[in-house]
Every structure is written in structure tokens, then in C-alpha cells.
Amino acid sequence: MNWLKQQVANVAGTAEPIYGPSALRSVAQQAETTPYTELTKEDLRWVAMESTCVETQVFYLMADSGHIGLAQVIYSNVAGLRTTCQFNTKIFYPDEKTPNLWSSDTLENHGFDDEQLCFYADGCAVDLSEDGTFYSIKSATNESSLVNLKVTRKTPGFQVGKDGKSYFGTDPNKPWGSMRHAFWPRCDAEGTIITKAGPIDFKGRAMFIHALQGMKPHHAAAKWNFVNFQSPTYTAVMMEYTTPPSYGSSVVNVGGLMQDGEIICAGSSNSASYLEIADDPDNEWPEPAAVKFEWSGTTKDGKPVTAELAGSLGVRLDKVDVMAEVPGFVKAIIGGVAGTKPYIYQYCPQQKLKLLLNIGGEEKVEEGILFSEATFISE
């Protein structure tokens, strides 16, 4: 009967019943014995589910010029009835005067290579190299942002636990939903995005994330925190979500710490907290003004690791009213559920924050660039 209720909620877009926290099998359970596994090429295959899902590949860019950007492919399926793909780009300018550039285009005739490792559509291609070390991202779907990028992995990729997945459902043997994240946290970027004002050189750092929400996104998560910190020596990444009350408002956190060539530690023993809240006059969401992000883990040779990143977020880069800006297919998935009013707050503090890192009692401090998002979907 629970499964039936869940399917009705999926198709009708209604809120789910209260199943309680026992209906979530967090990836943290896997991480107790296997904190993380390094990714192989096979872990980067597109799943392209034929039931309700949102699957994305997103490349976060930090150019040496100070520009921040992202390029993203979204594959979405609504109840197995309709599949839509979208290519998005966004550019934040370092002068704090030029308006953010946002392009979002529906893709036609999408498909994959035989191995499901490369994505294609008219005017768009995201290709994984034969040796599995870099992606090329090309898009001519929007004249305002012609994309030609290469993102090369500088550390091993990882997923938390054995398969990176949290499972949703009252029967552990037959979960009705899942959530997975796979990371290339520390990459080099090269190439350009050509805008109507001219080309922007995105030579610099990058992060790549492949995510699969194997259910309606607002059924899996009510709010999110995302951290992408890049310094000359280190990378810190964190993806945290809180489930809706239907799954006990449970918190799932995956992340890790890297340096060139190696994963220092990764797992689920991390946390995100807001030290200060700003009042947003447009809604009642607790927009963060100052934050503290913490990581905890163990190196391969058994040394304890802790890290902290804390400080003011400064003036936000953008506030995205998701229902006003996202493509229609996402609205179809969310389905106008009462109490669903998603907003994304995006930040890159001008005052650089410092990562405080302790590896086996040896302390390191390094300043770097933070790109952070706080997303609120439902109460």
C-alpha cells in the first residue's frame, strides 16, 4: 500500500505520506565500513532511467580571470511518460557590474554512445575521453553562450560508500527511489564560452558532478547545501540535503578533501551550518549570511583528518526563483505541490575564506575561492 501511495504521489505531484526516517537508507550506512570508493569509467555511465528521475552532469568553473561559470546537461523523465533534456550555462562576472549570463535550452534528438558514457543532442556533445581522464563539452544551442570546454581530472574521482546511493522506500529490498552523487572534485579547465560581448577564457579550476535523483526531486530533498572550495593546494567539496518530513527530515551529507593527485579523505561525516541568517523580503527562507562547513575523516594510512571553512558569504551572486526560471519539464515534475517554492541562493565571497585543515595533528591553513549554493524547496 505504501508503494501505491508513493506511485500516486509521483504521478499526481502530491506530497508524500509520512513514512518516517526508517524509509531512508542513507549512504552513511555504507560509509561506516566503506567511507568512499574511487570512480572508474563505468561509474560515469548515464543511467537514463525510464521512470521518474532527474539526472545531471554539471561542470563548475573557476577561471583564472575571476569569472565563475557552470555548464550542465539535465536528463529528466516524468513518470515514464515524457523525457526532456536541457543544456544550461551560467556566467558570473568578476566586476560585480555585468549582469549574470544565463542560458537554458531544450535539446532535440538526444542520445548516448554505446557505453552510455557520452551524451549527444543536436548542437551539443559531452564526451568522456577514451582513457577516462577528461571531458569535452561543446554546445552551439544558444548564440549567447557558445561552449567549447575541456575539463581534466587532477585527482581520482569518488563516490561515498560502495555505490554512492541513498535509497528511499519502506521495503529495503524494493526501494522506490534513490539519490546518488559522483565527483571529480579537483580538475583543470581550459577553453572558452563565447558570448555576444566576446569570448571568455575559462582556463583555471573546475569540478565535475554526476548526480541522479531516481524519484521526484522534491520528494527526496527539501533543502540543499553545496560547497565547492578550490585553493592552490586543496579542494573541499560537500553536498548535503535534508529530506522532507515524509522521510523524517533526515540529513544526508557526502563530501571530501583533496589535493593534486590524491584524495585526503572522503565520506559522510561532514556538516553545514548557518552562523548568520539574512531576512529575504520575498519569502520566509533562512538565507545564509555566514556559514561554517566541517569535514571529518581518515586518510588511507589511518591518520585522522578534520577541516573547517567558516566566514561571511558577502553579497550573493544570485537568487534563482526556480519556478520562474526553470524549464517547463521541471515544473511538471514538481507539479505545483502546496508548500513547494524553490529558491537557490548562490555565493562566491569576495573576501576569500581560509580552509583550516588538520591531518594527523599537522595543521595547514590555505586561502581559496568558495562557490556555494543554498537551496530551499519545501518546509
Side-chain angles (χ1 to χ4, degrees):
M1 185 56 73
N2 277 331
W3 179 86
L4 180 61
K5 290 178 186 173
Q6 202 276 335
Q7 295 308 305
V8 170
N10 253 353
V11 176
T14 54
E16 291 192 285
I18 301 297
Y19 306 117
S22 63
L24 170 71
R25 220 159 12 112
S26 169
V27 71
Q29 296 176 27
Q30 298 181 36
E32 290 174 4
T33 53
T34 306
Y36 70 94
T37 50
E38 293 188 6
L39 298 181
T40 65
K41 270 183 74 173
E42 286 63 37
D43 294 315
L44 298 170
R45 294 183 195 276
W46 285 87
V47 179
M49 292 172 59
E50 295 182 2
S51 55
T52 298
C53 71
V54 176
E55 186 170 8
T56 66
Q57 287 193 342
V58 56
F59 301 85
Y60 294 95
L61 309 165
M62 292 181 177
D64 294 341
S65 62
H67 292 83
I68 303 291
L70 65 84
Q72 178 185 43
V73 173
I74 303 177
Y75 171 101
S76 145
N77 187 308
V78 181
L81 303 175
R82 180 178 172 220
T83 299
T84 311
C85 295
Q86 198 86 5
F87 188 81
N88 300 329
T89 57
K90 193 165 190 176
I91 299 172
F92 303 99
Y93 292 81
D95 62 8
E96 299 182 48
K97 297 174 186 174
T98 307
N100 302 330
L101 179 65
W102 167 247
S103 302
S104 183
D105 297 277
T106 301
L107 298 174
E108 302 295 338
N109 301 313
H110 77 274
F112 305 92
D113 68 340
D114 290 343
E115 294 183 278
Q116 296 280 111
L117 293 168
C118 303
F119 174 92
Y120 304 106
D122 290 351
C124 179
V126 179
D127 285 309
L128 180 64
S129 64
E130 189 66 35
D131 64 0
T133 61
F134 69 86
Y135 277 96
S136 62
I137 307 102
K138 297 182 180 182
S139 174
T141 56
N142 193 304
E143 291 183 1
S144 297
S145 52
L146 300 170
V147 178
N148 186 2
L149 298 166
K150 179 182 177 182
V151 170
T152 304
R153 178 169 55 80
K154 302 302 290 184
T155 64
F158 79 95
Q159 60 191 2
V160 169
K162 294 176 182 177
D163 64 4
K165 286 185 181 180
S166 293
Y167 294 93
F168 297 75
T170 49
D171 182 349
N173 297 316
K174 294 180 180 178
W176 56 55
S178 64
M179 178 85 79
R180 175 181 182 259
H181 290 88
F183 302 90
W184 280 9
R186 190 171 177 85
C187 303
D188 284 344
E190 58 186 280
T192 59
I193 298 178
I194 301 175
T195 72
K196 290 188 173 176
I200 297 173
D201 185 353
F202 268 98
K203 183 180 185 303
R205 282 269 175 234
M207 176 181 290
F208 163 68
I209 301 175
H210 188 149
L212 172 62
Q213 300 181 54
M215 58 197 297
K216 286 200 170 191
H218 63 288
H219 285 177
K223 56 186 176 182
W224 292 85
N225 289 295
F226 169 56
V227 181
N228 172 10
F229 176 85
Q230 304 282 349
S231 74
T233 311
Y234 303 108
T235 291
V237 60
M238 182 187 298
M239 188 73 78
E240 179 186 274
Y241 63 93
T242 304
T243 71
S246 47
Y247 299 98
S249 300
S250 303
V251 177
V252 179
N253 188 308
V254 294
L257 303 161
M258 294 78 210
Q259 58 190 13
D260 276 349
E262 69 171 311
I263 298 170
I264 299 171
C265 71
S268 61
S269 301
N270 321 301
S271 65
S273 56
Y274 299 165
L275 303 178
E276 294 176 23
I277 300 295
D279 290 325
D280 184 343
D282 293 337
N283 56 56
E284 297 175 5
W285 293 127
E287 179 190 353
V291 292
K292 181 165 74 171
F293 304 119
E294 296 176 285
W295 291 261
S296 177
T298 307
T299 64
K300 284 182 178 178
D301 56 358
K303 293 177 183 175
V305 180
T306 58
E308 180 183 299
L309 188 63
S312 170
L313 291 172
V315 179
R316 69 178 177 234
L317 291 174
D318 201 5
K319 179 178 77 174
V320 180
D321 178 348
V322 175
M323 294 307 279
E325 294 196 22
V326 299
F329 73 84
V330 175
K331 293 177 191 172
I333 290 179
I334 293 175
V337 178
T340 302
K341 45 181 181 179
Y343 278 83
I344 304 170
Y345 299 86
Q346 297 173 312
Y347 306 90
C348 180
Q350 290 297 307
Q351 186 70 41
K352 290 185 177 180
L353 301 187
K354 292 178 179 177
L355 181 71
L356 310 179
L357 185 62
N358 187 309
I359 304 174
E362 184 180 354
E363 295 188 348
K364 317 260 188 183
V365 180
E366 192 160 284
E367 197 174 73
I369 299 170
L370 169 68
F371 176 78
S372 179
E373 292 181 331
T375 302
F376 302 95
I377 299 170
S378 61
E379 298 289 357

